[in-house]
């Protein structure tokens, strides 16, 4: 069943080229430029920006959880614009249906046949805004797309563009009108990040500076689609030594030794390795170090191990050690 002519502008799957050393060097310079520009938009959150870009270059999906108004949508839009990716935004609500995201088959009376009208998910970067305000049925509509990079409707399978990413935002569960994401959905997100409140200096810059929406309009594309695909290939080539893998596996074993939560699954372990490789790549080196694993560990594991985001006003401003922080403190780098 062919897509209707109205949707034939959907980006097509691209053939990947073999990268050279010069290509990688050029990409590294562009990545540094991209982060510098994004840090001018999302102030005082350089580590979150670096982790978010690492997740994208690792080919994974991102979950941004925080209070409303913290800059989650600004970060997602900035990434899409700087990476030159096709972008769609869907505002999730409690009355949304799966077809509102995936698309549906509509009968064409002129052609006397059904035609599939692609939904907003047929893009390169989908911003699923406030994903936990929709029902579990609508949330689960994203599962196949996130894992298989395809959509199945009425027995027909439609591939999604390459690359394809989902950046979802969610509000704290303490707020009204939200549905918790099931574990199977959470496991599809490579990284879960939280922006948090800005520092006083950053907040003053926001008060005295230009509107973020105006700054977003002025961003120029730094990496195009081909460069993103090239970077993804570069991430896969980042070397990880056996001694570093030993450390990674000790961390994983520690997650599985607890009676309080289920440990990391094999998919979670692969996600941890891939995220560490991407973080090393973004940092400008082609070998994973224990510091790279430590940098991504919380973002990869906490949401998989049941760690719920608690905003500062709920915890009384007291910082409590997360599951990942306790594990990192208990597992030695070298034994």
């Amino acid at each position: 069943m062919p897509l209707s002519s109205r949707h034939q502008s959907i980006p097509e799957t691209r053939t990947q080229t073999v990268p050279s050393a010069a290509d990688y060097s050029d990409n590294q310079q562009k990545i540094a430029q991209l982060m510098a520009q994004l840090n001018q938009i999302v102030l005082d959150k350089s580590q979150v920006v670096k982790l978010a870009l690492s997740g994208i270059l690792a080919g994974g999906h991102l979950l941004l959880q925080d209070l409303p108004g913290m800059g989650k949508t600004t970060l997602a839009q900035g990434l899409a614009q700087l990476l030159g990716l096709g972008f769609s935004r869907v505002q999730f609500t409690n009355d949304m249906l799966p077809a509102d995201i995936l698309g549906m088959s509509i009968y064409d009376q002129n052609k006397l046949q059904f035609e599939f009208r692609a939904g907003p998910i047929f893009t390169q970067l989908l911003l699923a805004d406030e994903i936990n305000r929709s029902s579990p049925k609508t949330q689960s509509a994203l599962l196949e797309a996130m894992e298989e990079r395809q959509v199945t409707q009425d027995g027909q399978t439609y591939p999604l563009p390459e690359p394809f990413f989902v950046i979802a935002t969610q509000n704290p569960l303490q707020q009204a009108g939200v549905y918790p994401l099931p574990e199977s959905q959470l496991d599809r997100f490579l990284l879960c990040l939280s922006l948090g409140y800005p520092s006083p200096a950053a907040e003053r810059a926001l008060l005295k500076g230009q509107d973020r929406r105006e700054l977003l309009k002025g961003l120029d594309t730094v990496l195009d689609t081909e460069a993103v695909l090239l970077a993804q290939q570069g991430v896969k080539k980042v070397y990880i030594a056996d001694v570093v893998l030993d450390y990674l596996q000790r961390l994983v074993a520690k997650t599985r030794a607890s009676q309080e939560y289920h440990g990391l699954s094999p998919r979670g372990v692969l996600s941890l390795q891939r995220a560490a490789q991407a973080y090393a790549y973004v940092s400008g080196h082609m070998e994973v170090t224990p510091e790279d694993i430590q940098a991504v560990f919380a973002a990869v594991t906490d949401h998989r191990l049941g760690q719920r985001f608690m905003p500062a006003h709920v915890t009384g401003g007291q910082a409590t050690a997360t599951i990942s922080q306790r594990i990192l403190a208990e597992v030695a780098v070298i034994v």
Side-chain angles (χ1 to χ4, degrees):
M1 207 182 304
L3 295 178
S4 68
S5 58
R6 175 184 155 192
H7 297 277
Q8 300 203 354
S9 60
I10 295 171
E12 298 178 353
T13 301
R14 294 172 181 257
T15 303
Q16 295 185 359
T17 57
V18 178
S20 65
D23 291 329
Y24 285 140
S25 177
D26 183 51
N27 253 17
Q28 291 292 343
Q29 294 177 6
K30 290 180 178 179
I31 285 170
Q33 178 186 349
L34 186 152
M35 285 195 295
Q37 290 196 42
L38 197 52
N39 282 326
Q40 296 298 315
I41 303 294
V42 185
L43 299 177
D44 194 37
K45 302 298 175 185
S46 58
Q47 181 63 9
V48 176
V49 166
K50 188 174 182 179
L51 285 168
L53 181 59
S54 299
I56 293 293
L57 298 187
H61 308 293
L62 304 180
L63 178 62
L64 306 178
Q65 57 179 8
D66 220 319
L67 295 167
M70 290 293 193
K72 302 184 297 294
T73 302
T74 300
L75 174 58
Q77 291 176 327
L79 278 170
Q81 196 156 335
L82 288 167
L83 293 171
L85 298 174
F87 178 78
S88 291
R89 176 182 176 180
V90 176
Q91 182 67 48
F92 280 64
T93 58
N94 58 6
D95 60 349
M96 179 174 286
L97 299 175
D100 296 329
I101 306 167
L102 306 180
M104 66 182 70
S105 295
I106 297 178
Y107 188 73
D108 189 322
Q109 294 186 347
N110 294 324
K111 298 181 180 179
L112 302 179
Q113 64 180 14
F114 282 94
E115 289 191 348
F116 180 66
R117 300 293 178 91
I121 199 170
F122 285 85
T123 187
Q124 292 175 316
L125 195 155
L126 174 71
L127 173 57
D129 219 355
E130 297 186 308
I131 187 174
N132 58 342
R133 290 202 179 277
S134 64
S135 67
K137 181 178 181 180
T138 302
Q139 292 173 5
S140 64
L142 289 174
L143 280 174
E144 180 190 12
M146 293 174 68
E147 186 66 21
E148 306 295 337
R149 266 66 173 181
Q150 65 183 27
V151 168
T152 301
Q153 287 287 79
D154 300 323
Q156 296 289 324
T157 299
Y158 306 94
L160 292 169
E162 291 186 10
F164 172 73
F165 309 103
V166 173
I167 298 182
T169 71
Q170 71 167 356
N171 297 329
L173 295 179
Q174 295 79 17
Q175 295 194 338
V178 299
Y179 302 85
L181 295 178
E183 286 78 2
S184 58
Q185 185 85 47
L186 287 171
D187 195 45
R188 264 62 177 186
F189 289 101
L190 178 69
L191 302 177
C192 180
L193 304 172
S194 177
L195 288 163
Y197 291 114
S199 66
E203 195 161 50
R204 178 62 64 91
L206 287 172
L207 292 170
K208 299 182 70 174
Q210 191 175 354
D211 186 275
R212 300 297 102 179
R213 289 170 291 187
E214 294 299 320
L215 290 176
L216 281 171
K217 293 178 183 178
L219 289 180
D220 295 323
T221 297
V222 176
L223 293 177
D224 57 16
T225 299
E226 296 296 342
V228 172
L229 294 172
L230 180 70
Q232 289 181 344
Q233 294 180 63
V235 166
K236 295 176 183 177
K237 295 181 181 296
V238 173
Y239 177 71
I240 180 165
D242 286 343
V243 66
V244 179
L245 282 177
D246 290 341
Y247 176 54
L248 184 149
Q249 288 191 288
R250 287 197 298 274
L251 291 171
V252 171
K254 189 68 175 179
T255 71
R256 296 170 178 171
S258 174
Q259 300 298 318
E260 301 176 15
Y261 47 80
H262 296 292
L264 280 184
S265 66
R267 175 161 49 200
V269 177
L270 291 171
S271 296
L272 179 57
Q273 176 183 341
R274 189 155 41 104
Q277 288 176 299
Y279 191 86
Y281 184 88
V282 170
S283 300
H285 51 269
M286 295 296 289
E287 180 174 355
V288 174
T289 66
E291 289 76 16
D292 296 321
I293 294 175
Q294 293 164 356
V296 302
F297 189 68
V300 173
T301 61
D302 275 343
H303 65 291
R304 290 181 165 89
L305 302 181
Q307 180 77 41
R308 291 188 174 183
F309 166 69
M310 298 291 287
H313 75 276
V314 174
T315 62
Q318 298 297 317
T320 56
T322 65
I323 297 172
S324 60
Q325 288 172 334
R326 296 200 302 267
I327 292 173
L328 287 173
E330 294 171 4
V331 176
V333 175
I334 300 176
V335 294

